[in-house]
């Protein structure tokens, strides 16, 4: 039984997770459950309050997801060489830690306890400075070291010489060129030479055009500089790796400190996510007590629109352990009990609640049975699913539990369902738990009214507008208003009188007809003749045959099944005009109506053509007589048991 899904706490968690930044904080929220330690719960609620207060004073905290940095630090600790992009990501997180440290330090001015987390952070200024100095734009900077600067300067000069030489060749051999510019092929500077003048330009052919009419030749003077450039690139690569390995070693040395920084970031992210949710829901900090008391003032369902949601006033505890809530359909009974449990569970998970004020007791378990619970795969009806959940609740419940149930005993015979509902309430009362139950059974209302530690409550209903007002009045039993709603929506007086008589007896029907029950002009009931006119589409029916003889669908030798015993037999006498046939069972022959017989297979599918069915149905004696008749005259008589 998924309690969180039934009361919609899973949707609160999803909304809560959206407020978190780090992956670890989101995972913590996904698996969070209600706290059973008063000390831990008090701390969690204080964190939520302090986190919200700090954000209201200083704005949103500068948090970043740090999951990728964990992997970078692990690679550094293994001795891997970190790439420039990884080092830049590490520096970005270090910068975020610097900003977060400053943010928390400003919180000290407001005497907010969260501000003192600032002292636990180490921003590692040395590592951050080295990365900033040596890495830029996803690459090792030219000025990362003096040696690297020299190498890259020589490389730039070498590339300039290559271009200069190529341009000189083009100027001197302009008449041999296919174009007016030099080009680069595979990193080599080439000049475009017409194919017929290949021998006029000294150098190596690097490529040719698609048509083959132009050859791309690297002049000999350019090749010399290209070889120098390749050697410089090797020197550059070695120097770059030396710098990266040095920075990686610095990151590995700082891994322990950095991991502690990351842990604190994730912890603060979790705290601030609770504060953000509180601000988003416009929630308030509840008071937590170990007394078995729940008091909610102006409570609302956290997933409903704040403007349209009617605040709920609720109180249970002391001498009252259970409340039976009644009222019309769509009157808000189910929403009310969900609102109470949802706010209680949010509070016990360290969250603020959507109430103006709240006193909430700690519960060892939250148990509920809401919804029809039908499950085709498990062959569970609505009633069966309810009972399965209820039995689980009764097995788990104890004095420190909080239970809600939506219409226990529904989905079956009303009289029996009412009895089951009262039995469930009696068991809940014996356990000493706090519980809320909705019902439409009048006997359950009477039970709650007459039983100690239980009371009724009703959801109010505006009879003029036929709309629920979603207000709960504790201490009074409600009514379903079904007759009143049906009358206002146009149900005839005759039907209402029939309904009242069936529900409450003839006297109630007479009172209803005399106008004593209903508001209005009080005129006595006058039966009205009503004509029923067929409207809409009509069903086309097949004309019935005048013959009443049953269809001859069973023939000799057909395999059939007898209902309801589901026995298998063979037809030994086909169906007659009365619809009766005889069936050979394993131990006897019986006469039976064709309505109790189901055809499994026709004889043609089971036996060869011209099969002698006397082998199946005749006695050995009759078969011997028939054999004698075929050979000689005899006075023996064949008696057919199946005729």
């Amino acid at each position: 039984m998924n309690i969180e899904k039934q009361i919609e706490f899973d949707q609160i968690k999803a909304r809560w997770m959206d407020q978190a930044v780090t992956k670890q904080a989101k995972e913590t929220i996904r698996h969070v459950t209600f706290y059973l330690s008063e000390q831990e719960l008090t701390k969690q609620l204080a964190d939520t309050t302090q986190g919200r207060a700090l954000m209201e004073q200083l704005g949103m905290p500068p948090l970043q997801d740090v999951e990728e940095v964990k992997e970078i630090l692990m690679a550094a600790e293994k001795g891997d060489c970190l790439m420039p992009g990884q080092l830049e990501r590490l520096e970005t997180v270090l910068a975020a830690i610097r900003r977060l440290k400053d943010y928390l330090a400003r919180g000290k001015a407001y005497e907010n306890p969260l501000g003192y987390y600032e002292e636990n952070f180490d921003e590692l200024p040395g590592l951050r400075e080295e990365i900033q100095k040596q890495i830029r734009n996803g690459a090792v900077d030219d000025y990362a070291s003096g040696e690297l600067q020299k190498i890259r300067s020589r490389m730039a000069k070498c590339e300039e010489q290559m271009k200069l030489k190529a341009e000189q060749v083009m100027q001197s051999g302009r008449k041999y060129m296919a174009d007016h510019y030099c080009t680069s092929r595979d990193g080599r500077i080439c000049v475009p030479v017409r194919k017929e003048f290949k021998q006029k330009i000294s150098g190596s052919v690097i490529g040719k055009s698609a048509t083959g009419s132009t050859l791309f030749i690297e002049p000999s003077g350019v090749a010399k500089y290209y070889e120098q450039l390749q050697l410089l690139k090797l020197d550059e690569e070695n120097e770059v790796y030396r710098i990266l390995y040095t920075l990686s070693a610095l990151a590995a040395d700082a891994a322990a400190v950095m991991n502690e920084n990351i842990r604190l970031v994730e912890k603060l992210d979790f705290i601030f996510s609770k504060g953000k949710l509180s601000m988003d829901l416009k929630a308030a900090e509840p008071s937590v007590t170990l007394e078995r008391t729940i008091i909610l003032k102006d409570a609302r369902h956290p997933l409903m629109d704040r403007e349209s949601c009617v605040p709920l006033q609720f109180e249970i505890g002391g001498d009252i352990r259970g409340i039976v809530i009644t009222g019309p359909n769509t009157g808000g009974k189910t929403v009310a009990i969900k609102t109470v449990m949802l706010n209680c569970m949010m509070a016990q998970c360290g969250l603020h609640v959507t109430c103006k004020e709240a006193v909430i007791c700690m519960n060892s378990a939250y148990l509920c049975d809401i919804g029809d619970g039908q499950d085709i795969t498990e062959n569970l009806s609505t009633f069966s699913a309810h009972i399965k959940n209820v039995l689980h609740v009764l097995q788990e419940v104890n004095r420190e539990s909080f239970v809600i149930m939506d219409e226990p005993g529904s989905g079956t015979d009303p009289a029996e369902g009412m009895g089951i509902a009262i039995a469930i309430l009696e068991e809940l009362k014996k356990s000493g738990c706090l519980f809320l139950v909705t019902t439409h059974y009048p006997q359950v209302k009477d039970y709650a009214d007459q039983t100690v530690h239980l009371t009724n409550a009703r959801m109010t209903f505006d009879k003029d507008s036929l709309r629920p007002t979603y207000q709960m009045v504790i201490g009074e039993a409600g009514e379903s208003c079904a007759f009143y709603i049906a009358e206002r929506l146009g149900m005839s007086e005759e039907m209402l009188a029939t309904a009242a008589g069936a529900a409450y007896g003839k006297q109630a029907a007479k009172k209803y007809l005399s106008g004593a029950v209903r508001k209005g002009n009080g005129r006595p009931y006058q039966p009205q003749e009503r004509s029923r006119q067929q409207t809409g589409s009509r069903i086309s029916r097949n004309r019935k045959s005048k013959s009443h003889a049953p269809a001859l669908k069973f023939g000799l030798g057909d395999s059939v099944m007898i209902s309801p015993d589901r026995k298998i037999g063979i037809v030994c006498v086909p169906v007659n005009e009365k619809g009766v046939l005889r069936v050979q069972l394993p131990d006897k022959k019986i006469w039976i109506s064709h309505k109790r017989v189901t055809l499994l297979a026709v004889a043609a599918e089971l036996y060869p053509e011209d099969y002698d069915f006397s082998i199946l149905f005749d006695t050995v004696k009759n078969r011997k007589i028939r054999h004698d008749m075929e050979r000689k005259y005899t006075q023996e008589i064949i008696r057919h048991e199946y005729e």
Side-chain angles (χ1 to χ4, degrees):
M1 182 166 55
N2 190 336
I3 300 295
E4 292 187 0
K5 185 173 183 180
Q6 284 194 314
I7 67 171
E8 300 170 307
F9 188 60
D10 59 332
Q11 296 183 44
I12 298 295
K13 276 190 174 181
R15 196 163 172 176
W16 181 7
M17 287 171 63
D18 289 340
Q19 306 295 339
V21 175
T22 64
K23 182 179 179 181
Q24 182 58 46
K26 291 179 185 290
E27 285 300 308
T28 302
I29 293 168
R30 189 190 309 278
H31 298 101
V32 77
T33 186
F34 51 90
Y35 298 98
L36 296 177
S37 165
E38 182 184 14
Q39 181 179 0
E40 179 63 21
L41 178 56
T42 302
K43 177 185 177 301
Q44 292 293 332
L45 285 170
D47 284 346
T48 305
T49 302
Q50 293 160 11
R52 173 171 176 171
L54 198 59
M55 288 185 289
E56 289 175 337
Q57 293 156 350
L58 303 176
M60 294 295 111
L63 294 165
Q64 282 196 13
D65 188 10
V66 291
E67 195 64 27
E68 184 184 358
V69 174
K70 290 182 182 179
E71 299 175 2
I72 292 171
L73 292 172
M74 287 177 60
E77 287 185 296
K78 289 192 299 183
D80 293 349
C81 179
L82 300 182
M83 293 294 102
Q86 293 174 306
L87 290 165
E88 274 193 326
R89 178 66 184 133
L90 181 57
E91 189 275 330
T92 302
V93 172
L94 286 169
I97 290 173
R98 170 71 266 177
R99 292 193 299 273
L100 181 59
K101 189 176 172 71
D102 292 341
Y103 177 89
L104 296 172
R106 285 185 286 131
K108 291 180 182 179
Y110 297 95
E111 297 184 355
N112 191 310
L114 291 182
Y116 292 91
Y117 275 96
E118 176 267 337
E119 298 174 2
N120 298 323
F121 280 105
D122 186 342
E123 59 185 302
L124 298 169
L127 176 59
R128 184 186 172 203
E129 184 179 345
E130 286 297 317
I131 296 175
Q132 282 182 322
K133 186 172 67 174
Q134 300 183 38
I135 305 296
R136 187 165 300 170
N137 299 325
V140 177
D141 190 73
D142 292 348
Y143 301 96
S145 71
E147 182 64 22
L148 184 61
Q149 182 183 4
K150 291 178 183 178
I151 293 172
R152 287 184 173 172
S153 177
R154 290 167 60 190
M155 289 173 62
K157 290 179 180 179
C158 196
E159 289 173 347
E160 289 177 5
Q161 290 294 327
M162 290 169 63
K163 290 180 182 178
L164 182 60
K165 286 292 182 183
E167 289 173 358
Q168 289 175 353
V169 170
M170 290 193 68
Q171 286 292 330
S172 61
R174 184 177 303 169
K175 57 185 177 181
Y176 308 129
M177 299 297 138
D179 214 328
H180 303 291
Y181 59 88
C182 58
T183 185
S184 176
R185 288 294 177 106
D186 298 328
R188 296 171 178 266
I189 302 298
C190 304
V191 294
V193 179
R194 284 186 286 178
K195 182 179 179 181
E196 59 271 23
F197 299 117
K198 173 185 174 183
Q199 303 300 327
K200 300 294 184 181
I201 302 297
S202 175
S204 304
V205 177
I206 304 301
K208 62 181 179 179
S209 65
T211 60
S213 61
T214 301
L215 300 178
F216 297 100
I217 297 175
E218 180 187 43
S220 301
V222 173
K224 177 181 68 173
Y225 289 107
Y226 177 78
E227 292 172 0
Q228 292 179 13
L229 181 62
Q230 298 309 304
L231 292 175
L232 288 171
K233 283 185 176 180
L234 289 175
D235 293 339
E236 179 201 29
E237 184 178 358
N238 291 334
E239 182 62 14
V240 165
Y241 272 108
R242 185 193 68 78
I243 293 168
L244 292 177
Y245 270 112
T246 301
L247 293 175
S248 300
L250 291 175
D253 292 340
V257 174
M258 195 62 191
N259 282 324
E260 180 61 19
N261 286 338
I262 290 171
R263 188 188 66 81
L264 288 172
V265 169
E266 292 169 340
K267 181 177 181 179
L268 286 170
D269 185 29
F270 177 74
I271 292 172
F272 284 122
S273 70
K274 295 191 293 179
K276 291 174 187 176
L277 183 66
S278 176
M279 295 167 67
D280 184 44
L281 297 176
K282 290 186 170 29
E285 180 182 4
S287 297
V288 176
T289 178
L290 294 182
E291 300 295 329
R292 303 301 292 157
T293 300
I294 300 173
I295 302 173
L296 306 179
K297 294 183 180 179
D298 290 345
R300 52 187 170 80
H301 195 291
L303 298 176
M304 294 179 67
D305 181 64
R306 287 192 296 270
E307 303 302 324
S308 60
C309 184
V310 178
L312 176 71
Q313 314 303 325
F314 178 82
E315 183 173 351
I316 190 174
D319 192 49
I320 301 300
R321 315 287 289 185
I323 297 178
V324 176
I325 306 171
T326 51
N329 289 326
T330 71
K333 300 187 299 297
T334 305
V335 172
I337 62 177
K338 280 186 176 182
T339 298
V340 175
M341 179 169 276
L342 197 48
N343 275 281
C344 289
M345 183 172 280
M346 287 172 64
Q348 204 165 338
C349 288
L351 298 173
H352 286 177
V353 295
T354 50
C355 306
K356 186 176 181 180
E357 294 179 26
V359 177
I360 293 174
C361 65
M362 294 184 66
N363 300 291
S364 64
Y366 289 87
L367 305 167
C368 72
D369 176 51
I370 296 177
D372 67 17
Q374 287 195 53
D375 192 331
I376 296 175
T377 61
E378 294 187 15
N379 197 25
L380 289 179
S381 66
T382 299
F383 178 72
S384 300
H386 271 301
I387 292 301
K388 184 179 178 181
N389 283 344
V390 166
L391 292 177
H392 173 77
V393 168
L394 297 179
Q395 184 179 8
E396 298 291 327
V397 71
N398 58 47
R399 188 181 182 280
E400 295 180 335
S401 301
F402 182 31
V403 180
I404 61 173
M405 289 188 181
D406 193 20
E407 299 188 24
S410 62
T412 186
D413 177 85
E416 295 180 359
M418 175 272 298
I420 288 174
I422 291 177
I424 292 169
L425 293 184
E426 184 66 23
E427 288 300 309
L428 291 175
K429 183 176 77 72
K430 288 178 183 178
S431 73
C433 71
L434 298 179
F435 62 92
L436 304 178
V437 172
T438 68
T439 189
H440 283 293
Y441 293 129
Q443 297 89 339
V444 176
K445 305 176 196 177
D446 296 340
Y447 170 82
D449 189 49
Q450 300 166 9
T451 305
V452 294
H453 305 309
L454 267 68
T455 190
N456 280 302
R458 67 181 177 89
M459 302 303 295
T460 56
F461 185 80
D462 186 344
K463 290 187 176 181
D464 292 329
S465 64
L466 295 184
R467 292 181 180 275
T469 61
Y470 303 109
Q471 295 285 356
M472 182 187 291
V473 180
I474 298 176
E476 299 179 13
E479 56 183 349
S480 67
C481 301
F483 291 163
Y484 190 88
I485 295 171
E487 181 184 17
R488 289 291 302 273
L489 294 177
M491 183 173 283
S492 69
E493 292 177 334
E494 181 183 357
M495 291 178 66
L496 290 167
T498 302
Y504 302 112
K506 293 182 179 179
Q507 289 299 116
K510 289 179 181 179
K511 290 181 181 179
Y512 193 93
L513 297 177
S514 67
V517 175
R518 297 173 291 113
K519 294 181 180 180
N521 56 25
R523 293 196 304 268
Y525 168 66
Q526 297 293 333
Q528 301 176 3
E529 290 294 330
R530 294 174 302 169
S531 61
R532 299 184 180 273
Q533 183 176 359
Q534 176 70 33
T535 60
S537 303
R538 300 178 65 91
I539 297 174
S540 175
R541 302 177 181 274
N542 290 330
R543 293 184 179 181
K544 294 184 178 180
S545 172
K546 293 182 179 180
S547 173
H548 298 288
L552 300 178
K553 61 179 180 179
F554 302 109
L556 186 67
D558 290 350
S559 176
V560 295
M561 181 173 69
I562 308 298
S563 298
D565 301 331
R566 302 182 67 83
K567 292 183 178 179
I568 307 300
I570 300 174
V571 177
C572 56
V573 177
V575 64
N576 58 27
E577 68 277 6
K578 295 181 180 180
V580 177
L581 66 155
R582 200 172 195 192
V583 178
Q584 170 76 61
L585 297 176
D587 53 346
K588 60 182 177 181
K589 295 184 179 73
I590 62 170
W591 292 96
I592 189 168
S593 170
H594 73 285
K595 295 179 180 179
R596 291 181 54 198
V597 178
T598 303
L599 181 64
L600 297 181
V602 297
E605 297 175 354
L606 302 174
Y607 306 99
E609 191 175 356
D610 299 325
Y611 183 79
D612 184 6
F613 286 101
S614 66
I615 297 173
L616 296 176
F617 308 131
D618 266 5
T619 63
V620 175
K621 180 179 178 182
N622 281 348
R623 291 177 60 203
K624 185 175 184 304
I625 293 172
R626 181 178 285 103
H627 180 68
D628 289 340
M629 286 180 174
E630 292 174 354
R631 295 188 302 110
K632 60 184 179 179
Y633 173 80
T634 177
Q635 293 184 347
E636 294 288 343
I637 299 174
I638 296 176
R639 301 184 183 279
H640 294 288
E641 296 181 7
Y642 56 88
E643 292 180 350

